[in-house]
């Protein structure tokens, strides 16, 4: 059983990456899917626990910008003996804003949300409680993803 966490700015390609690589095999949990919920963190944790109890592979597709955001997810994964894999999405604020501006409706976030996330963003480091860390880059021209196992060290 695998718990996958995405880390990165809004509009960095996380959801597209999920649909290209995990939609057939992993449950998709994203706070974007329950924006009207007054307690999205609680709902996310409940859905995660339900999936892990059922031995299902899961992707948590959120910005997860800080260790404090990721740590309860790691704890839940360890509680159920899941392999924990983190994907860190590299992008610039400008690239995220450009992609975000191409979104429509509720998919578009205010620019201030991207700026707020970059201020808080703590790239994952190997002393965090995951098994594998990958770094991801989205080629804006081709729409293809480049993925490399990380050698990022504290």
């Amino acid at each position: 059983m695998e718990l996958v966490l995405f880390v990165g700015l809004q509009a960095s390609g996380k959801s597209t990456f999920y649909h290209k690589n995990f939609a057939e095999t992993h449950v998709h949990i994203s706070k974007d899917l329950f924006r009207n919920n007054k307690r999205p963190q609680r709902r996310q944790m409940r859905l995660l626990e339900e999936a892990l109890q059922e031995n299902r592979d899961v992707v948590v597709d959120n910005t997860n910008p800080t260790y404090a955001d990721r740590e309860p997810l790691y704890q839940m994964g360890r509680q159920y003996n899941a392999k924990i894999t983190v994907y860190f999405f590299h992008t610039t604020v400008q690239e995220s804003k450009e992609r975000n501006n191409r979104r429509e409706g509720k998919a578009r976030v205010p620019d201030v949300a991207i700026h707020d996330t970059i201020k808080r963003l703590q790239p994952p480091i190997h002393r965090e409680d995951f098994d594998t860390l990958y770094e991801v880059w989205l080629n804006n021209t081709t729409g293809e993803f480049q993925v490399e196992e990380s050698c990022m060290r504290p």
Side-chain angles (χ1 to χ4, degrees):
M1 175 175 45
E2 181 179 39
L3 168 58
V4 174
L5 303 182
F6 290 167
V7 177
L9 294 179
Q10 298 87 337
S12 60
K14 297 181 305 296
S15 295
T16 300
F17 189 80
Y18 167 81
H19 289 289
K20 284 187 173 188
N21 296 284
F22 294 103
E24 301 285 323
T25 58
H26 289 61
V27 174
H28 186 232
I29 298 176
S30 173
K31 291 179 184 175
D32 290 346
L33 302 176
F34 35 91
R35 290 183 195 244
N36 294 328
N37 189 299
K38 292 181 182 180
R39 300 175 95 179
Q41 178 66 17
R42 186 176 79 175
R43 174 122 171 95
Q44 172 180 271
M45 295 304 288
R46 191 174 83 239
L47 292 172
L48 176 59
E49 185 165 31
E50 288 171 3
L52 294 174
Q53 283 175 343
E54 296 170 4
N55 266 346
R56 299 177 73 196
D57 295 328
V58 181
V59 171
V60 177
D61 175 9
N62 294 313
T63 59
N64 297 311
T66 68
Y67 173 74
D69 294 316
R70 298 185 292 269
E71 199 261 341
L73 301 167
Y74 296 150
Q75 286 181 1
M76 180 77 67
R78 291 295 174 219
Q79 181 181 339
Y80 289 93
N81 298 312
K83 176 185 177 206
I84 301 174
T85 305
V86 175
Y87 288 82
F88 178 67
F89 290 76
H90 289 273
T91 192
T92 66
V93 169
Q94 187 60 37
E95 288 169 334
S96 285
K97 287 169 61 175
E98 288 170 5
R99 285 192 290 270
N100 184 53
N101 286 335
R102 293 192 294 266
R103 293 175 165 180
E104 296 186 13
K106 292 182 180 182
R108 185 178 294 161
V109 299
D111 285 351
V112 69
I114 296 170
H115 287 282
D116 177 61
T117 302
I118 194 67
K119 287 179 194 172
R120 297 181 303 115
L121 186 63
Q122 299 170 336
I125 55 175
H126 283 279
R127 69 175 154 228
E128 292 183 25
D129 193 17
F130 53 78
D131 298 299
T132 309
L133 173 62
Y134 292 99
E135 298 180 68
V136 182
W137 294 265
L138 173 59
N139 183 315
N140 287 325
T141 305
T142 65
E144 296 297 314
F145 290 96
Q146 176 186 344
V147 181
E148 294 179 8
E149 190 165 351
S150 176
C151 58
M152 291 163 66
R153 296 285 177 210

